[in-house]
Amino acid sequence: MATDTDGLFGGESERRPDHERTGNAVINWMEGLSEAAYAYLLLLPAFALLTLIAFYPMVRTFLMSLRANQTRGLDPLGGFVGIENYIDILAGNARLARQFLDVGLTSSFPFIELGTPFFQQALFVTLAFAVISVVVETVIGFGQAYVLDQEFTGRRWVRVAIILPWAVPIVIQGMIFFLLFQPTVGFGSDLMQSLGLFSATPLANSRDAFIIILVADIWKSSAFMALLILAGLQSVDRNLYDVARVAGASPWQRFKMITLPLVMPALLVAMLFRTMDAMRVFGLIESTAGCTTVPSLSCLVVEAMFGGTRIYATAAAVAFATALVIGLIIGVYVLLFRDTEGGMY
């Protein structure tokens, strides 16, 4: 019931300050949103930050790649040339700051014809490195995570031993394997040569160096896969295994029907992260064997940008092409992840 005071000074809502009335309107608007709209609203600051630190530099890189290289004067970029830089990269006409190792079809890695454009060589090396390393690391990481998911004495110390390689910095990791396979320093070169697997100077041989870099990456990054997969394993309801045992399911049937479907989303996320990281490999290569022996896409970008000749537009074209390849791989993972939601695979 309204009082005389309300009549003299207005109702309670009229006496509220403007900012309180505005705040109530915003709250009422947010409460009326659907769950999906509310989730996107909460993600809006993250999208804004991502646009600032990721998409804007990518757009700038693409615009740089459409201009000519300018090796003289103060301006590092010339006039607009369109997709000419991309054509030169694919055709092998790009002026790289330093020529990469051009290997033959039957002599050594990467088993492609003599004279193949540098971009194709680097793309082949990068994709081969990413596919082999991610597959092997996934298998090893899954095995490590499956062991760590069990109850046994000393499990915490086993976890430390598995995680320890992941804590080693990339440069230190590269130097370890560099010294290990130096003919005059480490024993790895003599051992592998005595077995007939490596040449006398493995770090100067593309095939041998590629294998060494693969082993170094697998040694370090399997722990990362194990940690992410272990998180997925520990989220599985243990009651499901009890019911399966009562029903007479074998260990393989429990793994196939319970463990694998339920852990598949976490497994794909772990593979996605590792694939993106493997496609950007540079530090491990440069600190172990050098980009002239095992060229990757990131090696091309760094050499074109900082190799002594100012070919920033070519470097931008290679960088943007690399981003497109990674984006295509991410799209494949997203499609696979969509198919695994709810345990379907």
Side-chain angles (χ1 to χ4, degrees), residues 29 113 121 144 156 174 207 230 239 246 249 286 303 316 325:
W29 173 75
E113 293 181 357
Q121 289 189 30
Q144 292 175 338
R156 66 173 63 185
R207 179 186 62 86
L230 179 61
N239 293 328
V246 173
E286 185 64 22
E303 290 294 329
V325 174

Side-chain angles (χ1 to χ4, degrees), residues 24-301:
N24 291 335
V26 172
I27 292 175
N28 293 334
W29 173 75
M30 293 176 63
E31 291 178 347
L33 295 175
S34 64
E35 291 187 3
Y38 186 69
Y40 282 117
L41 179 64
L42 295 179
L43 291 173
L44 189 60
F47 287 151
L49 183 62
L50 184 63
T51 301
L52 180 64
I53 65 176
F55 292 126
Y56 175 73
M58 186 177 297
V59 172
R60 288 285 299 170
T61 301
F62 176 69
L63 295 178
M64 287 177 59
S65 69
L66 300 179
R67 300 175 63 180
N69 295 310
Q70 184 76 12
T71 58
R72 298 179 181 178
L74 298 178
D75 192 352
L77 297 172
F80 179 81
V81 295
I83 62 172
E84 182 178 326
N85 290 318
Y86 294 94
I87 295 176
D88 290 341
I89 290 171
L90 295 176
N93 298 324
R95 295 178 299 143
L96 294 175
R98 183 172 67 189
Q99 184 169 349
F100 288 91
L101 183 66
D102 201 7
V103 298
L105 179 63
T106 59
S107 61
S108 60
F109 182 85
F111 311 116
I112 49 182
E113 293 181 357
L114 187 68
T116 300
F118 298 135
F119 180 81
Q120 280 85 329
Q121 289 189 30
L123 178 61
F124 181 88
V125 170
T126 305
L127 290 176
F129 176 83
V131 171
I132 298 174
S133 63
V134 171
V135 169
V136 176
E137 288 163 11
T138 300
V139 174
I140 296 177
F142 202 109
Q144 292 175 338
Y146 199 76
V147 171
L148 294 178
D149 193 46
Q150 312 302 317
E151 294 289 343
F152 59 90
T153 304
R155 184 173 64 169
R156 66 173 63 185
W157 299 110
V158 176
R159 287 186 177 183
V160 172
I162 290 177
I163 297 172
L164 187 59
W166 178 249
V168 178
I170 292 178
V171 176
I172 304 300
Q173 171 195 8
M175 290 304 300
I176 290 174
F177 282 85
F178 172 79
L179 295 175
L180 181 63
F181 288 94
Q182 274 293 315
T184 59
V185 179
F187 64 88
S189 178
D190 295 336
L191 176 62
M192 300 303 287
Q193 186 182 6
S194 64
L195 296 175
L197 300 178
F198 282 178
S199 62
T201 56
L203 295 178
N205 181 280
S206 295
R207 179 186 62 86
D208 298 344
F210 181 80
I211 296 174
I212 292 171
I213 292 169
L214 265 178
V215 173
D217 188 74
I218 292 169
W219 171 75
K220 176 181 173 67
S221 300
S222 296
F224 174 79
M225 299 293 289
L227 288 176
L228 293 185
I229 297 172
L230 179 61
L233 287 173
Q234 293 186 339
S235 66
V236 178
D237 188 359
R238 294 300 190 266
N239 293 328
L240 296 175
Y241 296 110
D242 297 334
V243 174
R245 291 190 187 93
V246 173
S250 65
W252 168 247
Q253 290 174 328
R254 294 197 296 268
F255 175 81
K256 180 181 178 181
M257 304 304 297
I258 299 176
T259 304
L260 189 58
L262 295 181
V263 83
M264 186 61 70
L267 181 64
L268 286 177
V269 170
M271 293 178 64
L272 172 61
F273 287 159
R274 272 301 304 141
T275 302
M276 291 190 298
D277 192 37
M279 289 294 296
R280 302 192 304 266
V281 62
F282 169 75
L284 180 59
I285 293 177
E286 185 64 22
S287 59
T288 304
C291 286
T292 55
T293 306
V294 185
S296 68
L297 291 175
S298 296
C299 287
L300 280 182
V301 176

